[in-house]
Amino acid sequence: KPIAGYITGGDRNLVMGSEGECYTYYTHAEGVSVRAALPYLVGWAPVAQGPIRGLGKPFVKHGAILPLGLVPGMYWDEILGRFKIRPDVEQYACIQYRPLQAIPRPPYGVVWPAQTGTAGRVEYERVSNVLVDVHSHGKMAPFFSGTDNADDLGFRVSIVVGNLDLDVPMARIRLGVYGYYADFLPWEDIFAQPTAHAVDIILAEKEVRFILQ
């Protein structure tokens, strides 16, 4: 198979084309989307949006599916808890897929790679098989910066957490599919409830409290 595949069609049309080894572009009535799949993550993200006459609607909505199960809430508790201990520096952690892990299930674990953080930047050693990466913005508001976009060219869920000096920090979450992004990913599509640490999730440019308490 080629690295990239191309499929044209939709839910009411004959589908033409073939899937790629790493990712596939789908042209449909609402524009172009890209799909990628790994054993632990399946996702769709928009590439270009706009009406295309004569094609059916897209097969699925943009977003992520975790075939092996949602991430346990205790992993989020660990990450946010450690972030809040040092709100003055940026920090990084990730949730890694561990294919050889038998217990616990799902086969995920939290990784804290070697890192150096300042008030405006964090540098860290790269980790393989990342399902979710999380970095903090200290006391600043959460946003995905140009540096984040340049770093986030793989296939994973990304979270940025900010306002760590508040009782309830704020966060943004998105799915990255090789340089394309599905923003405002539903929190409940990734994490299982309950979790001990509350966080405000910014959705559609509005602050929406996701009840984690």
Side-chain angles (χ1 to χ4, degrees):
K1 283 185 178 181
I3 292 177
Y6 302 87
I7 290 179
T8 300
D11 59 2
R12 299 192 309 273
N13 301 82
L14 176 66
V15 174
M16 298 177 291
S18 60
E19 293 187 339
E21 184 70 29
C22 295
Y23 50 88
T24 303
Y25 293 98
Y26 288 82
T27 303
H28 48 75
E30 297 177 5
V32 181
S33 301
V34 61
R35 177 187 184 273
L38 293 170
Y40 53 92
L41 179 63
V42 178
W44 293 72
V47 175
Q49 295 179 287
I52 299 179
R53 298 185 182 92
L55 297 180
K57 293 183 178 180
F59 303 100
V60 296
K61 66 176 183 178
H62 296 136
I65 298 172
L66 277 56
L68 302 181
L70 297 178
V71 176
M74 63 181 181
Y75 293 164
W76 173 253
D77 294 343
E78 175 185 339
I79 292 171
L80 186 57
R82 285 185 59 170
F83 281 179
K84 292 175 75 173
I85 292 172
R86 300 187 66 197
D88 295 320
V89 299
E90 292 197 7
Q91 302 174 71
Y92 175 87
C94 65
I95 297 165
Q96 181 188 46
Y97 165 61
R98 296 175 173 173
L100 301 181
Q101 176 176 292
I103 298 175
R105 306 292 292 181
Y108 312 138
V110 178
V111 177
W112 294 89
Q115 58 190 277
T116 302
T118 67
R121 185 174 180 83
V122 60
E123 297 182 354
Y124 52 89
E125 291 186 356
R126 300 298 175 178
V127 179
S128 63
N129 294 333
V130 173
L131 170 60
V132 183
D133 69 12
V134 191
H135 75 280
S136 68
H137 272 189
K139 298 179 181 180
M140 297 188 298
F143 62 93
F144 289 104
S145 66
T147 300
D148 296 333
N149 292 339
D151 288 342
D152 190 10
L153 298 178
F155 180 38
R156 65 190 59 180
V157 176
S158 295
I159 301 174
V160 57
V161 186
N163 302 113
L164 287 168
D165 54 326
L166 303 179
D167 290 338
V168 180
M170 302 177 69
R172 289 181 181 270
I173 179 171
R174 71 182 183 186
L175 171 70
V177 184
Y178 302 112
Y180 303 101
Y181 306 106
D183 295 315
F184 316 122
L185 197 64
W187 188 266
E188 61 270 25
D189 286 357
I190 308 302
F191 289 96
Q193 296 180 350
T195 64
H197 290 276
V199 65
D200 280 340
I201 309 300
I202 300 176
L203 297 175
E205 301 304 330
K206 297 180 181 179
E207 298 174 17
V208 179
R209 174 64 57 83
F210 181 74
I211 300 174
L212 298 173
Q213 298 177 337

